[in-house]
Structure formats: structure tokens, C-alpha cells
Amino acid sequence: MNPKKFTIITLIATSGLVALIALTATSRASSNGQKEVTFTRDVVPIFYKNCAACHRPDDLAPFSVLTYEDARPWARSIKEKVVSREMPPWHADPRYGDFINDARLSRRDIDTVAAWVDQGAKEGDPRDLPPLPDYAAGWNIGKPDQILSMTREYVIEPDAPDNYVYFTLPVRFSEDKWIQAAEIRPGNKRVVHHAIAHILTPRARARAGEDIDETDGEPDSGSSIFYKSRSLSRVLTFAPVIDDGASAPNGGSAFKRRSGHEDADGFSILLTSFAPGKAPDIYAEGTAKKIPAGSVIVLQIHYSSFRGALEKPERDRTSLGLIFAKEPPRKRVVSLTIPNHYFKIPAGSANHRVSASYTFDQDAELINYMPHMHLRGKDMKYEALYPDDRRETLLWVPRFNFNWQTLYRLREPVAIPKGTKIIVTAHFDNSSKNKYNPDPTRDVRWGDPTYDEMMIGWMDYALPESSK
Ligand code: HEC
């Protein structure tokens, strides 16, 4: 059946202003009486909004949804992944927390995509196609005010082992800079496993010399439980074992805890990170992260040849994009790491519980969460235990997936009174049933390499800019 289409174009000219209004009245029906669903009119707006951040040329995902030609061959798979809610990737239980970047499609959008595929994945009228969104040359934060790139290319050989490499970016800020948004663009997504940008303040530089460490402070006891081989840090096999870090004196962290202003103790400050699927850091109006005057920025990049999956050497030159706050902020952002460094996951264990905690010694507002584990990570929960003993679930990720290091950005900040304890609880699957498990026969402890584990509840919180 041929679709009928009536297009009324009205030209209105008002005092030199010319507006073109196109009214499209459509009445279409497919043979079974259902409304006809087309790519150009009904489906592509859903794809632009919910898929194109990854599914566009030269980005993360295996195909582009921007054109009918590119998307059509994937129609069957698209329906399957959309109906099962595997795509877009989102792993938080919707009962807890309200997140501004909640990627879940509405029921209506899922039905539209499914109906499109069921009806034969038709293109429709090319004139219905909405304009292509402006992706500002690949930056998800919009056009950066400043772009900082590695000064040289780094080459990864096909058989190279996992490696953490540090690059100091070519900038030294002569005045305080307030960051409204920050994003790392990997130069080569085949080898950049993840990347973290640290702010090294003058005090942090003086303290650390050139010895830059990813970890969040200096060892608590003076005797480090870590050792390094080829810049990869791992926990010593004979270090004490504490799985229930939440009940331990330091919450399971091997480092002195800083509170409030991260620079207060002279350590480096987390600026932003990249991992597959992670949203860039964008702060609400009036809230920003400070780069103190005299700071330099160091990129830590985890390069991986993904166990020999490369055919030829690959080159990388990764960049950092920054958007500065237009006005001095009312609140400043502090990044907090809630880790358990002492766990030990027994070989073969299918549901090993590990916890960590942090107690706030001042009022704060939580603004985002980012659970981090490696391949054996199964689930993670963030809870707040308030001073009045009320216990509230903040975030519950029931099926953690290492491939997706999701940043959960809260729509409204969560107020945390002084004395609140944040408890992070994770489970690990070190059994052979876990298809990602590199080795179920090994006891596993903390370490940088992907074949070791990590357990970190990351979060950002905000403090009034006047507080120290
Ligand atoms: C945050 C990035 C991201 C978003 C958003 C996203 N995808 Fe994906 N998608 C990926 C990546 C990466 C893969 C390949 C790895 C995987 O399958 O997990 C993938 C895989 C897929 C596949 C399977 C391809 C195959 O190899 O069989 C389909 C189908 C798909 N996505 C459809 C969609 C649709 C439709 C949307 C929007 C409604 C969407 N995706 C949103 C990143 C994304």
C-alpha cells in the first residue's frame, strides 16, 4: 500500500522576518492496520538520542546508526538487544537513585524499534530525516575551551603485556582554573583500555617528586602492602586479608584518608577518566572542579593489546578536552575513592563478598558514583548509614559488567550529613562459570593488571566553595 502524504508549506513573512513552516500531515497504515513505522521518521530520532554517542563512525560500537544503509543490516540484532535492554548499556537497578544519564529506553521507544523491525525495517521517506546532530568533532562535552594532547605517539606492539604509562600534558596553569566539564578522547580505542587524568598540584609535585602513583594517598602504616613490577602495582600475596573492609578501622583502604579539600594533604586530584561507555564528567551549573594554579596534568593510560588480539603495532595519541566555568562556582567538586585493598578472592569461589567504607567528617552533597572492579566483578551496592541509623541504598548494580565502567550522575545531589558512613559492598565470581574469568584456579588480590582485581566505590561530592 502506498503511503499518502499531504505537505502544506506556508510562507509567512512578518516585518522582514521570514519563517518557513512545514506542516506534514500523514496518514499511513500497513496491511495489518498497524501504524507504519519508518526509519527516517520514527526510528532515527530514537537512535540519534540514545545510540549515536557510541554507534557512529570510528567510535566505540561495531556499527553506525546514523544512516539507513549502515543500520539496516543490524535490524534483527537491534530488536533483540533493545527488547532485552542490553542496549543502550545501563546496569543500575531503577529502584535506587535518579540519574541524569539514565540510558534506559522508554517502553514506547522499545515498542517503536521492535515494530519497525517486525514490519521489515523500512526506510520511509528520506525527507522525514531530521538533521544530523552536531557531534562537535567527537567531543561528548561539546566544544572544549582547551584541548591537551600527548606530545608524542605511543606505540603498542601486538604481543605487548598490559602496561600503565604516564604522560605529562604540555600545560602549566598559571592561575586557578575551574572545570565545568572534562573528557578524555582516546587516540586509539583498540589499545587504550582506560585512562585517568590527574591534577598534580605544586604541593603534590613537591611531595611526590616525579614518582606518580595512581593510588589515593600514602600508605597508612608506613609499610606498603604494594609492590611494583613494570609500573604495575599489585598487593603482596602475604599482605593481611580483610574482606569486610567496611568494619575495619580505615574502611579497607591502605592509604591515609583525606577529607574535604583533596589538595589539603598534597596529593594528586582525580580530574576525569575514560573507560568504555563511561560518560564524561559534566558538573551542574555553579559546581566545578578546581585545577589550582601551578598544577600540571598527568595522564595515566592503561594500554592493553588484549592478549595478543592485535595484528600489527598500534599507535596512540590521547587527548583531554576541558570546558572552563564561566563564573566562579558556588560549590567545588571533590573526588573520593572508597577501596578495599586487602581482599582475597579464593580460587573457584562464585560469590565472594568484599566491602569497604568511608565516614564523612563534614556535611557534603553526593553528585555521582562509579563502581570499579575487573573481570570477576559481579555486583556492587552503595549504601548510606546516616547518623540516626537510617540505612539507604544509593546505588545497586546487580549485574556489573567490566566492559562498561558506567558513571552514574545524580539528577539532584544527595545531602550527606557529617558522620554518615558510606558502605560499598561487592561480590566477585572467581568460578569457571564466569566466562570472563581469566583463571578460576588462582586466589586473586588487588592489582592493576586486568587479571588481578580491584574493588573501588568511586564518587564525586560537592562542598561549598568557602569551606576548607
Ligand atoms: C555507551 C555506548 C553505546 C550506546 C549508547 C549504545 N551502544 Fe550498542 N553497542 C555498544 C558497543 C561497544 C557494542 C559492542 C560490544 C557489545 O556488544 O557489548 C554494542 C553492540 C550493539 C549491538 C550488537 C552488535 C553485534 O555485534 O551483534 C547492537 C544491536 C546494538 N549495540 C544496538 C544499540 C542500539 C539500538 C542502541 C540505542 C538504542 C545502542 N546500541 C546504544 C555501545 C553502545
Side-chain angles (χ1 to χ4, degrees):
M1 186 191 268
N2 269 337
K4 282 192 290 173
K5 182 167 182 179
F6 308 97
T7 304
I8 307 159
I9 296 173
T10 316
L11 270 169
I12 305 169
T14 329
S15 59
L17 188 93
V18 182
L20 178 70
I21 298 174
L23 286 173
T24 307
T26 35
S27 77
R28 297 173 186 185
S30 64
S31 45
N32 61 5
Q34 243 186 350
K35 181 174 170 283
E36 187 178 67
V37 179
T38 70
F39 180 82
T40 53
R41 187 190 52 201
D42 309 297
V43 172
V44 97
I46 300 172
F47 285 177
Y48 282 175
K49 181 159 171 271
N50 302 285
C51 320
C54 307
H55 287 268
R56 56 178 144 141
D58 300 323
D59 213 291
L60 198 60
F63 63 96
S64 164
V65 293
L66 297 186
T67 65
Y68 181 71
E69 289 66 37
D70 288 333
R72 176 65 185 86
W74 296 88
R76 193 180 291 268
S77 173
I78 287 173
K79 180 185 166 190
E80 189 188 309
K81 300 277 179 187
V82 162
V83 169
S84 68
R85 288 196 182 273
E86 275 173 79
M87 286 287 151
W90 183 257
H91 303 98
D93 185 318
R95 286 175 298 170
Y96 309 108
D98 181 11
F99 301 102
I100 204 164
N101 60 326
D102 188 338
R104 289 173 307 134
L105 291 186
S106 66
R107 186 75 256 163
R108 203 178 143 181
D109 285 351
I110 294 175
D111 292 345
T112 301
V113 171
W116 173 63
V117 176
D118 291 343
Q119 291 176 18
K122 303 228 178 64
E123 178 172 18
D125 189 335
R127 282 172 301 178
D128 287 342
L129 205 61
L132 209 59
D134 177 13
Y135 288 111
W139 293 94
N140 292 309
I141 52 172
K143 193 172 173 298
D145 294 322
Q146 189 165 10
I147 298 174
L148 301 164
S149 299
M150 279 158 55
T151 48
R152 61 184 170 90
E153 275 188 338
Y154 186 79
V155 181
I156 300 93
E157 298 296 334
D159 54 354
D162 277 33
N163 201 4
Y164 279 58
V165 188
Y166 296 86
F167 303 92
T168 302
L169 294 175
V171 70
R172 182 161 301 191
F173 295 100
S174 54
E175 54 185 21
D176 287 354
K177 286 284 189 188
W178 287 101
I179 303 301
Q180 189 71 62
E183 179 181 359
I184 295 173
R185 288 289 294 175
N188 186 337
K189 286 189 178 166
R190 294 176 63 101
V191 290
V192 176
H193 180 282
H194 80 249
I196 299 177
H198 288 283
I199 303 166
L200 237 69
T201 63
R203 295 180 61 185
R205 287 216 315 283
R207 181 167 196 139
E210 292 310 302
D211 182 20
I212 300 147
D213 199 307
E214 172 205 19
T215 46
D216 61 339
E218 67 179 18
D220 193 32
S221 61
S223 71
S224 176
I225 61 161
F226 300 93
Y227 70 100
K228 272 197 172 181
S229 73
R230 290 188 356 265
S231 85
L232 291 169
S233 167
R234 305 178 74 185
V235 157
L236 295 160
T237 45
F238 48 83
V241 176
I242 307 170
D243 286 325
D244 184 16
S247 308
N250 207 14
S253 173
F255 295 93
K256 274 196 186 135
R257 310 314 297 260
R258 301 159 270 163
S259 67
H261 207 304
E262 276 176 279
D263 185 43
D265 301 329
F267 298 114
S268 67
I269 302 169
L270 181 72
L271 174 58
T272 185
S273 62
F274 161 82
K278 182 190 165 280
D281 289 277
I282 303 169
Y283 302 113
E285 213 198 316
T287 305
K289 190 174 271 186
K290 183 155 128 183
I291 303 183
S295 297
V296 298
I297 294 178
V298 174
L299 265 187
Q300 177 212 57
I301 302 185
H302 178 178
Y303 286 112
S304 179
S305 60
F306 294 97
R307 296 178 170 264
L310 304 180
E311 282 151 19
K312 54 177 180 53
E314 293 280 343
R315 294 166 179 281
D316 172 60
R317 215 173 141 197
T318 286
S319 306
L320 169 73
L322 299 174
I323 293 181
F324 302 117
K326 304 291 170 276
E327 285 169 18
R330 297 183 303 280
K331 298 177 198 166
R332 68 159 191 279
V333 179
V334 180
S335 294
L336 174 66
T337 306
I338 308 180
N340 182 325
H341 292 119
Y342 294 95
F343 63 80
K344 179 171 172 179
I345 311 166
S349 167
N351 199 33
H352 187 72
R353 183 177 179 278
V354 178
S355 69
S357 68
Y358 176 82
T359 303
F360 277 90
D361 58 8
Q362 67 208 114
D363 293 351
E365 287 181 350
L366 307 185
I367 52 183
N368 65 41
Y369 315 124
M370 190 174 135
H372 181 69
M373 297 179 275
H374 289 173
L375 297 162
R376 296 166 177 91
K378 198 173 166 186
D379 59 50
M380 193 177 271
K381 185 179 271 184
Y382 285 45
E383 293 166 290
L385 184 59
Y386 295 105
D388 62 5
D389 278 345
R390 204 159 45 87
R391 196 167 173 139
E392 183 189 3
T393 299
L394 303 171
L395 173 74
W396 167 227
V397 178
R399 277 176 308 281
F400 177 84
N401 183 327
F402 175 67
N403 294 324
W404 299 109
Q405 303 286 335
T406 309
L407 178 74
Y408 297 96
R409 296 171 53 208
L410 285 158
R411 191 177 303 280
E412 296 294 335
V414 170
I416 292 294
K418 174 180 172 176
T420 301
K421 183 175 180 177
I422 305 292
I423 300 170
V424 180
T425 309
H427 290 88
F428 292 90
D429 184 351
N430 195 12
S431 75
S432 53
K433 292 218 179 68
N434 174 1
K435 65 176 177 180
Y436 301 110
N437 192 348
D439 185 359
T441 65
R442 192 167 75 81
D443 292 348
V444 181
R445 306 210 63 173
W446 174 285
D448 287 340
T450 341
Y451 48 81
D452 287 340
E453 266 304 331
M454 284 199 182
M455 190 281 188
I456 305 178
W458 255 309
M459 59 170 68
D460 277 339
Y461 63 91
L463 296 175
E465 167 36 17
S466 54
S467 72
K468 282 286 162 245

